PDB file of all heavy atoms in Angstrom:
ATOM      1  N   GLY A   1       0.787  -1.253  -0.015  1.00 96.00           N
ATOM      2  CA  GLY A   1       0.071   0.011  -0.033  1.00 96.00           C
ATOM      3  C   GLY A   1       0.841   1.212   0.043  1.00 96.00           C
ATOM      4  O   GLY A   1       2.059   1.182  -0.003  1.00 96.00           O
ATOM      5  N   PRO A   2       0.240   2.454   0.004  1.00 97.00           N
ATOM      6  CA  PRO A   2       1.054   3.684  -0.033  1.00 97.00           C
ATOM      7  C   PRO A   2       1.836   3.767   1.293  1.00 97.00           C
ATOM      8  O   PRO A   2       1.564   3.157   2.349  1.00 97.00           O
ATOM      9  CB  PRO A   2      -0.171   4.718   0.172  1.00 97.00           C
ATOM     10  CG  PRO A   2      -1.354   4.150  -0.321  1.00 97.00           C
ATOM     11  CD  PRO A   2      -1.330   2.637   0.040  1.00 97.00           C
ATOM     12  N   VAL A   3       3.000   4.471   1.173  1.00 98.00           N
ATOM     13  CA  VAL A   3       3.886   4.587   2.304  1.00 98.00           C
ATOM     14  C   VAL A   3       4.079   6.133   2.694  1.00 98.00           C
ATOM     15  O   VAL A   3       4.339   6.975   1.889  1.00 98.00           O
ATOM     16  CB  VAL A   3       5.206   4.089   2.016  1.00 98.00           C
ATOM     17  CG1 VAL A   3       6.299   4.390   2.975  1.00 98.00           C
ATOM     18  CG2 VAL A   3       5.149   2.589   1.819  1.00 98.00           C
ATOM     19  N   VAL A   4       3.884   6.339   4.036  1.00 98.00           N
ATOM     20  CA  VAL A   4       4.327   7.659   4.590  1.00 98.00           C
ATOM     21  C   VAL A   4       5.774   7.624   5.118  1.00 98.00           C
ATOM     22  O   VAL A   4       5.961   6.797   6.107  1.00 98.00           O
ATOM     23  CB  VAL A   4       3.341   8.109   5.721  1.00 98.00           C
ATOM     24  CG1 VAL A   4       3.751   9.567   6.321  1.00 98.00           C
ATOM     25  CG2 VAL A   4       1.896   8.114   5.256  1.00 98.00           C
ATOM     26  N   LEU A   5       6.636   8.244   4.396  1.00 98.00           N
ATOM     27  CA  LEU A   5       8.126   8.033   4.786  1.00 98.00           C
ATOM     28  C   LEU A   5       8.447   9.426   5.497  1.00 98.00           C
ATOM     29  O   LEU A   5       8.410  10.412   4.997  1.00 98.00           O
ATOM     30  CB  LEU A   5       8.954   7.852   3.579  1.00 98.00           C
ATOM     31  CG  LEU A   5      10.370   7.992   3.682  1.00 98.00           C
ATOM     32  CD1 LEU A   5      11.057   6.907   4.609  1.00 98.00           C
ATOM     33  CD2 LEU A   5      11.046   7.745   2.286  1.00 98.00           C
ATOM     34  N   THR A   6       9.086   9.216   6.643  1.00 98.00           N
ATOM     35  CA  THR A   6       9.585  10.438   7.303  1.00 98.00           C
ATOM     36  C   THR A   6      11.120  10.281   7.712  1.00 98.00           C
ATOM     37  O   THR A   6      11.426   9.227   8.374  1.00 98.00           O
ATOM     38  CB  THR A   6       8.672  10.858   8.524  1.00 98.00           C
ATOM     39  OG1 THR A   6       8.943  12.239   8.911  1.00 98.00           O
ATOM     40  CG2 THR A   6       8.680   9.924   9.716  1.00 98.00           C
ATOM     41  N   PHE A   7      11.989  11.213   7.421  1.00 98.00           N
ATOM     42  CA  PHE A   7      13.213  11.288   7.808  1.00 98.00           C
ATOM     43  C   PHE A   7      13.296  12.177   9.129  1.00 98.00           C
ATOM     44  O   PHE A   7      12.890  13.266   9.089  1.00 98.00           O
ATOM     45  CB  PHE A   7      14.147  11.897   6.744  1.00 98.00           C
ATOM     46  CG  PHE A   7      14.428  10.967   5.570  1.00 98.00           C
ATOM     47  CD1 PHE A   7      13.691  10.872   4.505  1.00 98.00           C
ATOM     48  CD2 PHE A   7      15.654  10.258   5.576  1.00 98.00           C
ATOM     49  CE1 PHE A   7      13.883  10.060   3.441  1.00 98.00           C
ATOM     50  CE2 PHE A   7      16.037   9.451   4.459  1.00 98.00           C
ATOM     51  CZ  PHE A   7      15.160   9.383   3.489  1.00 98.00           C
ATOM     52  N   TYR A   8      13.912  11.692  10.135  1.00 97.00           N
ATOM     53  CA  TYR A   8      14.023  12.395  11.453  1.00 97.00           C
ATOM     54  C   TYR A   8      15.544  12.415  11.818  1.00 97.00           C
ATOM     55  O   TYR A   8      16.359  11.640  11.350  1.00 97.00           O
ATOM     56  CB  TYR A   8      13.201  11.915  12.436  1.00 97.00           C
ATOM     57  CG  TYR A   8      13.525  10.657  13.088  1.00 97.00           C
ATOM     58  CD1 TYR A   8      14.082  10.518  14.373  1.00 97.00           C
ATOM     59  CD2 TYR A   8      13.159   9.456  12.461  1.00 97.00           C
ATOM     60  CE1 TYR A   8      14.401   9.355  14.953  1.00 97.00           C
ATOM     61  CE2 TYR A   8      13.335   8.213  13.080  1.00 97.00           C
ATOM     62  CZ  TYR A   8      13.991   8.134  14.294  1.00 97.00           C
ATOM     63  OH  TYR A   8      14.229   6.961  14.780  1.00 97.00           O
ATOM     64  N   ARG A   9      15.913  13.436  12.643  1.00 96.00           N
ATOM     65  CA  ARG A   9      17.326  13.576  12.968  1.00 96.00           C
ATOM     66  C   ARG A   9      17.812  12.609  13.901  1.00 96.00           C
ATOM     67  O   ARG A   9      19.044  12.191  13.835  1.00 96.00           O
ATOM     68  CB  ARG A   9      17.498  14.970  13.564  1.00 96.00           C
ATOM     69  CG  ARG A   9      17.209  16.063  12.610  1.00 96.00           C
ATOM     70  CD  ARG A   9      16.470  17.319  13.165  1.00 96.00           C
ATOM     71  NE  ARG A   9      17.064  17.885  14.379  1.00 96.00           N
ATOM     72  CZ  ARG A   9      17.962  18.760  14.422  1.00 96.00           C
ATOM     73  NH1 ARG A   9      18.467  19.354  13.448  1.00 96.00           N
ATOM     74  NH2 ARG A   9      18.424  19.327  15.663  1.00 96.00           N
ATOM     75  N   GLY A  10      16.923  12.126  14.917  1.00 96.00           N
ATOM     76  CA  GLY A  10      17.323  11.174  15.929  1.00 96.00           C
ATOM     77  C   GLY A  10      16.483  11.293  17.185  1.00 96.00           C
ATOM     78  O   GLY A  10      15.829  12.214  17.415  1.00 96.00           O
ATOM     79  N   GLY A  11      16.623  10.254  18.024  1.00 96.00           N
ATOM     80  CA  GLY A  11      15.899  10.304  19.157  1.00 96.00           C
ATOM     81  C   GLY A  11      16.282  11.239  20.178  1.00 96.00           C
ATOM     82  O   GLY A  11      15.600  11.583  21.177  1.00 96.00           O
ATOM     83  N   TRP A  12      17.474  11.985  19.909  1.00 94.00           N
ATOM     84  CA  TRP A  12      17.906  13.119  20.794  1.00 94.00           C
ATOM     85  C   TRP A  12      17.132  14.277  20.558  1.00 94.00           C
ATOM     86  O   TRP A  12      17.339  15.267  21.253  1.00 94.00           O
ATOM     87  CB  TRP A  12      19.299  13.138  20.640  1.00 94.00           C
ATOM     88  CG  TRP A  12      19.837  13.492  19.233  1.00 94.00           C
ATOM     89  CD1 TRP A  12      20.257  12.351  18.295  1.00 94.00           C
ATOM     90  CD2 TRP A  12      19.851  14.590  18.469  1.00 94.00           C
ATOM     91  NE1 TRP A  12      20.500  12.913  17.177  1.00 94.00           N
ATOM     92  CE2 TRP A  12      20.146  14.263  17.247  1.00 94.00           C
ATOM     93  CE3 TRP A  12      19.499  15.893  18.764  1.00 94.00           C
ATOM     94  CZ2 TRP A  12      20.364  15.196  16.174  1.00 94.00           C
ATOM     95  CZ3 TRP A  12      19.610  16.886  17.714  1.00 94.00           C
ATOM     96  CH2 TRP A  12      20.026  16.497  16.398  1.00 94.00           C
ATOM     97  N   CYS A  13      16.407  14.387  19.392  1.00 94.00           N
ATOM     98  CA  CYS A  13      15.806  15.668  18.990  1.00 94.00           C
ATOM     99  C   CYS A  13      14.386  15.674  19.549  1.00 94.00           C
ATOM    100  O   CYS A  13      13.510  14.892  19.135  1.00 94.00           O
ATOM    101  CB  CYS A  13      15.909  15.657  17.455  1.00 94.00           C
ATOM    102  SG  CYS A  13      14.787  16.923  16.783  1.00 94.00           S
ATOM    103  N   PRO A  14      13.988  16.643  20.385  1.00 94.00           N
ATOM    104  CA  PRO A  14      12.663  16.622  21.022  1.00 94.00           C
ATOM    105  C   PRO A  14      11.587  16.903  20.000  1.00 94.00           C
ATOM    106  O   PRO A  14      10.533  16.393  20.041  1.00 94.00           O
ATOM    107  CB  PRO A  14      12.833  17.765  22.094  1.00 94.00           C
ATOM    108  CG  PRO A  14      14.050  18.592  21.723  1.00 94.00           C
ATOM    109  CD  PRO A  14      14.903  17.636  20.969  1.00 94.00           C
ATOM    110  N   TYR A  15      11.870  17.722  18.960  1.00 94.00           N
ATOM    111  CA  TYR A  15      10.917  17.951  17.912  1.00 94.00           C
ATOM    112  C   TYR A  15      10.597  16.660  17.112  1.00 94.00           C
ATOM    113  O   TYR A  15       9.488  16.463  16.907  1.00 94.00           O
ATOM    114  CB  TYR A  15      11.387  18.976  16.874  1.00 94.00           C
ATOM    115  CG  TYR A  15      11.954  20.271  17.678  1.00 94.00           C
ATOM    116  CD1 TYR A  15      13.181  20.421  18.064  1.00 94.00           C
ATOM    117  CD2 TYR A  15      11.019  21.170  18.019  1.00 94.00           C
ATOM    118  CE1 TYR A  15      13.707  21.527  18.662  1.00 94.00           C
ATOM    119  CE2 TYR A  15      11.509  22.374  18.885  1.00 94.00           C
ATOM    120  CZ  TYR A  15      12.871  22.516  19.142  1.00 94.00           C
ATOM    121  OH  TYR A  15      13.269  23.622  19.672  1.00 94.00           O
ATOM    122  N   CYS A  16      11.552  15.811  16.942  1.00 96.00           N
ATOM    123  CA  CYS A  16      11.430  14.588  16.225  1.00 96.00           C
ATOM    124  C   CYS A  16      10.412  13.700  17.101  1.00 96.00           C
ATOM    125  O   CYS A  16       9.549  12.955  16.543  1.00 96.00           O
ATOM    126  CB  CYS A  16      12.728  13.903  15.982  1.00 96.00           C
ATOM    127  SG  CYS A  16      13.809  14.792  14.828  1.00 96.00           S
ATOM    128  N   ASN A  17      10.743  13.577  18.390  1.00 96.00           N
ATOM    129  CA  ASN A  17       9.950  12.728  19.171  1.00 96.00           C
ATOM    130  C   ASN A  17       8.427  13.091  19.256  1.00 96.00           C
ATOM    131  O   ASN A  17       7.538  12.320  19.099  1.00 96.00           O
ATOM    132  CB  ASN A  17      10.566  12.606  20.581  1.00 96.00           C
ATOM    133  CG  ASN A  17      11.876  11.860  20.746  1.00 96.00           C
ATOM    134  OD1 ASN A  17      11.888  10.813  20.012  1.00 96.00           O
ATOM    135  ND2 ASN A  17      12.744  12.421  21.355  1.00 96.00           N
ATOM    136  N   LEU A  18       8.331  14.417  19.289  1.00 96.00           N
ATOM    137  CA  LEU A  18       6.935  15.020  19.179  1.00 96.00           C
ATOM    138  C   LEU A  18       6.232  14.592  18.029  1.00 96.00           C
ATOM    139  O   LEU A  18       5.079  14.151  17.871  1.00 96.00           O
ATOM    140  CB  LEU A  18       6.921  16.601  19.404  1.00 96.00           C
ATOM    141  CG  LEU A  18       7.121  17.095  20.786  1.00 96.00           C
ATOM    142  CD1 LEU A  18       7.359  18.611  20.721  1.00 96.00           C
ATOM    143  CD2 LEU A  18       5.985  16.697  21.793  1.00 96.00           C
ATOM    144  N   GLN A  19       6.998  14.695  16.774  1.00 97.00           N
ATOM    145  CA  GLN A  19       6.425  14.322  15.426  1.00 97.00           C
ATOM    146  C   GLN A  19       6.157  12.785  15.450  1.00 97.00           C
ATOM    147  O   GLN A  19       5.137  12.462  14.989  1.00 97.00           O
ATOM    148  CB  GLN A  19       7.506  14.852  14.416  1.00 97.00           C
ATOM    149  CG  GLN A  19       7.016  14.292  13.012  1.00 97.00           C
ATOM    150  CD  GLN A  19       8.228  14.483  12.060  1.00 97.00           C
ATOM    151  OE1 GLN A  19       9.303  14.469  12.390  1.00 97.00           O
ATOM    152  NE2 GLN A  19       7.830  14.591  10.808  1.00 97.00           N
ATOM    153  N   LEU A  20       7.009  11.970  15.830  1.00 97.00           N
ATOM    154  CA  LEU A  20       6.889  10.636  15.716  1.00 97.00           C
ATOM    155  C   LEU A  20       5.581  10.172  16.468  1.00 97.00           C
ATOM    156  O   LEU A  20       4.761   9.290  16.121  1.00 97.00           O
ATOM    157  CB  LEU A  20       8.138   9.857  16.301  1.00 97.00           C
ATOM    158  CG  LEU A  20       9.373   9.999  15.349  1.00 97.00           C
ATOM    159  CD1 LEU A  20      10.482   9.391  16.039  1.00 97.00           C
ATOM    160  CD2 LEU A  20       9.216   9.479  13.953  1.00 97.00           C
ATOM    161  N   ARG A  21       5.570  10.770  17.859  1.00 97.00           N
ATOM    162  CA  ARG A  21       4.249  10.477  18.620  1.00 97.00           C
ATOM    163  C   ARG A  21       2.903  10.875  17.922  1.00 97.00           C
ATOM    164  O   ARG A  21       1.998  10.255  18.046  1.00 97.00           O
ATOM    165  CB  ARG A  21       4.446  11.070  19.993  1.00 97.00           C
ATOM    166  CG  ARG A  21       5.450  10.401  20.912  1.00 97.00           C
ATOM    167  CD  ARG A  21       5.146  10.634  22.336  1.00 97.00           C
ATOM    168  NE  ARG A  21       5.318  12.049  22.791  1.00 97.00           N
ATOM    169  CZ  ARG A  21       6.675  12.502  23.042  1.00 97.00           C
ATOM    170  NH1 ARG A  21       7.719  11.626  23.136  1.00 97.00           N
ATOM    171  NH2 ARG A  21       6.841  13.695  23.375  1.00 97.00           N
ATOM    172  N   ALA A  22       3.157  12.071  17.284  1.00 97.00           N
ATOM    173  CA  ALA A  22       1.823  12.628  16.582  1.00 97.00           C
ATOM    174  C   ALA A  22       1.497  11.627  15.430  1.00 97.00           C
ATOM    175  O   ALA A  22       0.277  11.481  15.128  1.00 97.00           O
ATOM    176  CB  ALA A  22       2.081  14.011  16.171  1.00 97.00           C
ATOM    177  N   TYR A  23       2.443  11.081  14.842  1.00 97.00           N
ATOM    178  CA  TYR A  23       2.296  10.301  13.677  1.00 97.00           C
ATOM    179  C   TYR A  23       1.593   8.836  14.088  1.00 97.00           C
ATOM    180  O   TYR A  23       0.817   8.237  13.543  1.00 97.00           O
ATOM    181  CB  TYR A  23       3.489  10.046  12.705  1.00 97.00           C
ATOM    182  CG  TYR A  23       3.867  11.236  11.907  1.00 97.00           C
ATOM    183  CD1 TYR A  23       3.054  12.453  12.107  1.00 97.00           C
ATOM    184  CD2 TYR A  23       4.863  11.348  11.122  1.00 97.00           C
ATOM    185  CE1 TYR A  23       3.438  13.684  11.363  1.00 97.00           C
ATOM    186  CE2 TYR A  23       5.223  12.534  10.446  1.00 97.00           C
ATOM    187  CZ  TYR A  23       4.452  13.595  10.556  1.00 97.00           C
ATOM    188  OH  TYR A  23       4.853  14.785   9.794  1.00 97.00           O
ATOM    189  N   GLN A  24       2.194   8.484  15.319  1.00 97.00           N
ATOM    190  CA  GLN A  24       1.716   7.142  15.951  1.00 97.00           C
ATOM    191  C   GLN A  24       0.193   7.273  16.136  1.00 97.00           C
ATOM    192  O   GLN A  24      -0.639   6.341  15.957  1.00 97.00           O
ATOM    193  CB  GLN A  24       2.466   7.040  17.223  1.00 97.00           C
ATOM    194  CG  GLN A  24       1.821   5.738  18.096  1.00 97.00           C
ATOM    195  CD  GLN A  24       1.913   4.499  17.399  1.00 97.00           C
ATOM    196  OE1 GLN A  24       2.776   4.137  16.689  1.00 97.00           O
ATOM    197  NE2 GLN A  24       0.983   3.770  17.693  1.00 97.00           N
ATOM    198  N   ARG A  25      -0.225   8.437  16.564  1.00 96.00           N
ATOM    199  CA  ARG A  25      -1.686   8.684  16.838  1.00 96.00           C
ATOM    200  C   ARG A  25      -2.597   8.515  15.620  1.00 96.00           C
ATOM    201  O   ARG A  25      -3.655   8.192  15.819  1.00 96.00           O
ATOM    202  CB  ARG A  25      -1.907  10.102  17.561  1.00 96.00           C
ATOM    203  CG  ARG A  25      -1.297  10.086  18.948  1.00 96.00           C
ATOM    204  CD  ARG A  25      -1.906  11.279  19.693  1.00 96.00           C
ATOM    205  NE  ARG A  25      -1.399  12.730  19.271  1.00 96.00           N
ATOM    206  CZ  ARG A  25      -0.331  13.263  19.714  1.00 96.00           C
ATOM    207  NH1 ARG A  25       0.364  12.656  20.558  1.00 96.00           N
ATOM    208  NH2 ARG A  25      -0.047  14.391  19.299  1.00 96.00           N
ATOM    209  N   ILE A  26      -2.041   8.796  14.480  1.00 97.00           N
ATOM    210  CA  ILE A  26      -2.987   8.491  13.237  1.00 97.00           C
ATOM    211  C   ILE A  26      -2.731   7.181  12.547  1.00 97.00           C
ATOM    212  O   ILE A  26      -3.303   6.879  11.560  1.00 97.00           O
ATOM    213  CB  ILE A  26      -2.712   9.683  12.116  1.00 97.00           C
ATOM    214  CG1 ILE A  26      -1.260   9.707  11.794  1.00 97.00           C
ATOM    215  CG2 ILE A  26      -3.127  10.984  12.661  1.00 97.00           C
ATOM    216  CD1 ILE A  26      -1.060  10.459  10.419  1.00 97.00           C
ATOM    217  N   LEU A  27      -2.008   6.325  13.213  1.00 96.00           N
ATOM    218  CA  LEU A  27      -1.727   4.953  12.598  1.00 96.00           C
ATOM    219  C   LEU A  27      -2.869   4.040  12.486  1.00 96.00           C
ATOM    220  O   LEU A  27      -3.158   3.531  11.324  1.00 96.00           O
ATOM    221  CB  LEU A  27      -0.625   4.225  13.656  1.00 96.00           C
ATOM    222  CG  LEU A  27       0.236   3.213  12.926  1.00 96.00           C
ATOM    223  CD1 LEU A  27       0.977   3.746  11.910  1.00 96.00           C
ATOM    224  CD2 LEU A  27       1.160   2.557  14.092  1.00 96.00           C
ATOM    225  N   PRO A  28      -3.916   4.042  13.325  1.00 96.00           N
ATOM    226  CA  PRO A  28      -5.150   3.416  13.051  1.00 96.00           C
ATOM    227  C   PRO A  28      -5.976   3.876  11.795  1.00 96.00           C
ATOM    228  O   PRO A  28      -6.386   3.139  10.960  1.00 96.00           O
ATOM    229  CB  PRO A  28      -5.985   3.609  14.236  1.00 96.00           C
ATOM    230  CG  PRO A  28      -4.999   3.938  15.253  1.00 96.00           C
ATOM    231  CD  PRO A  28      -3.867   4.659  14.633  1.00 96.00           C
ATOM    232  N   GLU A  29      -6.000   5.270  11.699  1.00 96.00           N
ATOM    233  CA  GLU A  29      -6.666   5.826  10.464  1.00 96.00           C
ATOM    234  C   GLU A  29      -5.828   5.617   9.138  1.00 96.00           C
ATOM    235  O   GLU A  29      -6.459   5.252   8.106  1.00 96.00           O
ATOM    236  CB  GLU A  29      -6.815   7.369  10.754  1.00 96.00           C
ATOM    237  CG  GLU A  29      -7.668   7.746  11.681  1.00 96.00           C
ATOM    238  CD  GLU A  29      -7.540   9.236  12.059  1.00 96.00           C
ATOM    239  OE1 GLU A  29      -8.155  10.026  11.441  1.00 96.00           O
ATOM    240  OE2 GLU A  29      -6.680   9.526  12.950  1.00 96.00           O
ATOM    241  N   LEU A  30      -4.533   5.611   9.188  1.00 97.00           N
ATOM    242  CA  LEU A  30      -3.683   5.244   8.061  1.00 97.00           C
ATOM    243  C   LEU A  30      -3.859   3.708   7.722  1.00 97.00           C
ATOM    244  O   LEU A  30      -3.974   3.461   6.495  1.00 97.00           O
ATOM    245  CB  LEU A  30      -2.278   5.582   8.310  1.00 97.00           C
ATOM    246  CG  LEU A  30      -1.849   7.023   8.147  1.00 97.00           C
ATOM    247  CD1 LEU A  30      -0.458   7.223   8.684  1.00 97.00           C
ATOM    248  CD2 LEU A  30      -2.079   7.611   6.811  1.00 97.00           C
ATOM    249  N   ALA A  31      -3.871   2.916   8.704  1.00 96.00           N
ATOM    250  CA  ALA A  31      -4.110   1.466   8.500  1.00 96.00           C
ATOM    251  C   ALA A  31      -5.449   1.256   7.729  1.00 96.00           C
ATOM    252  O   ALA A  31      -5.477   0.448   6.857  1.00 96.00           O
ATOM    253  CB  ALA A  31      -3.903   0.774   9.748  1.00 96.00           C
ATOM    254  N   ALA A  32      -6.483   1.893   8.188  1.00 96.00           N
ATOM    255  CA  ALA A  32      -7.625   1.728   7.651  1.00 96.00           C
ATOM    256  C   ALA A  32      -7.717   2.207   6.080  1.00 96.00           C
ATOM    257  O   ALA A  32      -8.544   1.665   5.451  1.00 96.00           O
ATOM    258  CB  ALA A  32      -8.834   2.553   8.366  1.00 96.00           C
ATOM    259  N   LEU A  33      -6.844   3.121   5.800  1.00 95.00           N
ATOM    260  CA  LEU A  33      -6.627   3.444   4.407  1.00 95.00           C
ATOM    261  C   LEU A  33      -5.622   2.627   3.603  1.00 95.00           C
ATOM    262  O   LEU A  33      -5.374   2.916   2.461  1.00 95.00           O
ATOM    263  CB  LEU A  33      -6.206   4.939   4.311  1.00 95.00           C
ATOM    264  CG  LEU A  33      -7.163   5.929   4.955  1.00 95.00           C
ATOM    265  CD1 LEU A  33      -6.470   7.382   5.081  1.00 95.00           C
ATOM    266  CD2 LEU A  33      -8.350   6.148   3.889  1.00 95.00           C
ATOM    267  N   GLY A  34      -5.191   1.596   4.309  1.00 96.00           N
ATOM    268  CA  GLY A  34      -4.233   0.712   3.644  1.00 96.00           C
ATOM    269  C   GLY A  34      -2.746   1.188   3.505  1.00 96.00           C
ATOM    270  O   GLY A  34      -1.889   0.649   2.749  1.00 96.00           O
ATOM    271  N   ALA A  35      -2.524   2.271   4.303  1.00 97.00           N
ATOM    272  CA  ALA A  35      -1.205   2.871   4.246  1.00 97.00           C
ATOM    273  C   ALA A  35      -0.350   2.610   5.494  1.00 97.00           C
ATOM    274  O   ALA A  35      -0.853   2.223   6.499  1.00 97.00           O
ATOM    275  CB  ALA A  35      -1.280   4.429   4.091  1.00 97.00           C
ATOM    276  N   GLN A  36       0.890   2.639   5.467  1.00 97.00           N
ATOM    277  CA  GLN A  36       1.751   2.570   6.626  1.00 97.00           C
ATOM    278  C   GLN A  36       2.851   3.650   6.595  1.00 97.00           C
ATOM    279  O   GLN A  36       3.106   4.273   5.777  1.00 97.00           O
ATOM    280  CB  GLN A  36       2.324   1.235   6.486  1.00 97.00           C
ATOM    281  CG  GLN A  36       3.224   0.759   5.438  1.00 97.00           C
ATOM    282  CD  GLN A  36       3.594  -0.608   5.434  1.00 97.00           C
ATOM    283  OE1 GLN A  36       4.073  -1.130   6.581  1.00 97.00           O
ATOM    284  NE2 GLN A  36       3.592  -1.389   4.266  1.00 97.00           N
ATOM    285  N   ILE A  37       3.337   3.849   7.803  1.00 98.00           N
ATOM    286  CA  ILE A  37       4.397   4.851   8.179  1.00 98.00           C
ATOM    287  C   ILE A  37       5.746   4.086   8.331  1.00 98.00           C
ATOM    288  O   ILE A  37       5.839   2.998   8.872  1.00 98.00           O
ATOM    289  CB  ILE A  37       4.076   5.636   9.499  1.00 98.00           C
ATOM    290  CG1 ILE A  37       2.834   6.324   9.397  1.00 98.00           C
ATOM    291  CG2 ILE A  37       5.087   6.650   9.685  1.00 98.00           C
ATOM    292  CD1 ILE A  37       2.379   7.019  10.738  1.00 98.00           C
ATOM    293  N   VAL A  38       6.697   4.746   7.816  1.00 98.00           N
ATOM    294  CA  VAL A  38       8.119   4.310   8.066  1.00 98.00           C
ATOM    295  C   VAL A  38       8.976   5.461   8.389  1.00 98.00           C
ATOM    296  O   VAL A  38       8.901   6.495   7.711  1.00 98.00           O
ATOM    297  CB  VAL A  38       8.718   3.317   6.944  1.00 98.00           C
ATOM    298  CG1 VAL A  38       8.761   4.119   5.670  1.00 98.00           C
ATOM    299  CG2 VAL A  38       9.982   2.728   7.427  1.00 98.00           C
ATOM    300  N   ALA A  39       9.754   5.471   9.449  1.00 98.00           N
ATOM    301  CA  ALA A  39      10.694   6.549   9.820  1.00 98.00           C
ATOM    302  C   ALA A  39      12.105   6.044   9.671  1.00 98.00           C
ATOM    303  O   ALA A  39      12.475   4.987   9.927  1.00 98.00           O
ATOM    304  CB  ALA A  39      10.238   6.967  11.285  1.00 98.00           C
ATOM    305  N   ILE A  40      12.863   7.131   9.175  1.00 98.00           N
ATOM    306  CA  ILE A  40      14.432   6.850   9.045  1.00 98.00           C
ATOM    307  C   ILE A  40      15.156   7.777   9.789  1.00 98.00           C
ATOM    308  O   ILE A  40      14.940   9.048   9.562  1.00 98.00           O
ATOM    309  CB  ILE A  40      14.699   6.905   7.429  1.00 98.00           C
ATOM    310  CG1 ILE A  40      13.981   5.774   6.788  1.00 98.00           C
ATOM    311  CG2 ILE A  40      16.228   6.787   7.306  1.00 98.00           C
ATOM    312  CD1 ILE A  40      14.208   5.841   5.318  1.00 98.00           C
ATOM    313  N   SER A  41      16.231   7.410  10.373  1.00 98.00           N
ATOM    314  CA  SER A  41      17.180   8.344  11.119  1.00 98.00           C
ATOM    315  C   SER A  41      18.719   7.869  10.905  1.00 98.00           C
ATOM    316  O   SER A  41      18.846   6.654  10.490  1.00 98.00           O
ATOM    317  CB  SER A  41      16.932   8.459  12.525  1.00 98.00           C
ATOM    318  OG  SER A  41      17.615   7.506  13.289  1.00 98.00           O
ATOM    319  N   PRO A  42      19.610   8.624  11.202  1.00 98.00           N
ATOM    320  CA  PRO A  42      21.016   8.219  10.947  1.00 98.00           C
ATOM    321  C   PRO A  42      21.488   7.375  12.154  1.00 98.00           C
ATOM    322  O   PRO A  42      22.674   7.011  12.132  1.00 98.00           O
ATOM    323  CB  PRO A  42      21.790   9.460  10.733  1.00 98.00           C
ATOM    324  CG  PRO A  42      20.967  10.525  11.196  1.00 98.00           C
ATOM    325  CD  PRO A  42      19.502  10.029  11.402  1.00 98.00           C
ATOM    326  N   GLU A  43      20.662   7.150  13.184  1.00 97.00           N
ATOM    327  CA  GLU A  43      21.106   6.458  14.370  1.00 97.00           C
ATOM    328  C   GLU A  43      21.121   4.906  14.206  1.00 97.00           C
ATOM    329  O   GLU A  43      20.354   4.301  13.310  1.00 97.00           O
ATOM    330  CB  GLU A  43      20.306   6.824  15.594  1.00 97.00           C
ATOM    331  CG  GLU A  43      20.227   8.305  15.730  1.00 97.00           C
ATOM    332  CD  GLU A  43      19.667   8.684  17.155  1.00 97.00           C
ATOM    333  OE1 GLU A  43      18.503   8.432  17.340  1.00 97.00           O
ATOM    334  OE2 GLU A  43      20.441   9.192  17.871  1.00 97.00           O
ATOM    335  N   PRO A  44      21.973   4.193  14.875  1.00 97.00           N
ATOM    336  CA  PRO A  44      22.016   2.767  14.810  1.00 97.00           C
ATOM    337  C   PRO A  44      20.711   2.104  15.301  1.00 97.00           C
ATOM    338  O   PRO A  44      19.963   2.682  16.045  1.00 97.00           O
ATOM    339  CB  PRO A  44      23.315   2.325  15.668  1.00 97.00           C
ATOM    340  CG  PRO A  44      23.464   3.390  16.590  1.00 97.00           C
ATOM    341  CD  PRO A  44      22.976   4.660  15.797  1.00 97.00           C
ATOM    342  N   PRO A  45      20.555   0.774  14.912  1.00 96.00           N
ATOM    343  CA  PRO A  45      19.260   0.041  15.206  1.00 96.00           C
ATOM    344  C   PRO A  45      18.996   0.060  16.852  1.00 96.00           C
ATOM    345  O   PRO A  45      17.786   0.169  17.139  1.00 96.00           O
ATOM    346  CB  PRO A  45      19.501  -1.310  14.748  1.00 96.00           C
ATOM    347  CG  PRO A  45      20.368  -1.139  13.601  1.00 96.00           C
ATOM    348  CD  PRO A  45      21.320   0.016  13.944  1.00 96.00           C
TER     349      PRO A  45
END
């Protein structure tokens, strides 16, 4: 299905954490539309 791709700076960035949490809240609505979120940062696994 469609993909929502977000590049973030890292878990040390408070703005990134707020963004990731906000996107988590719409996950059920996105799933209902057949879409998923994936986030990418330069930090190790």
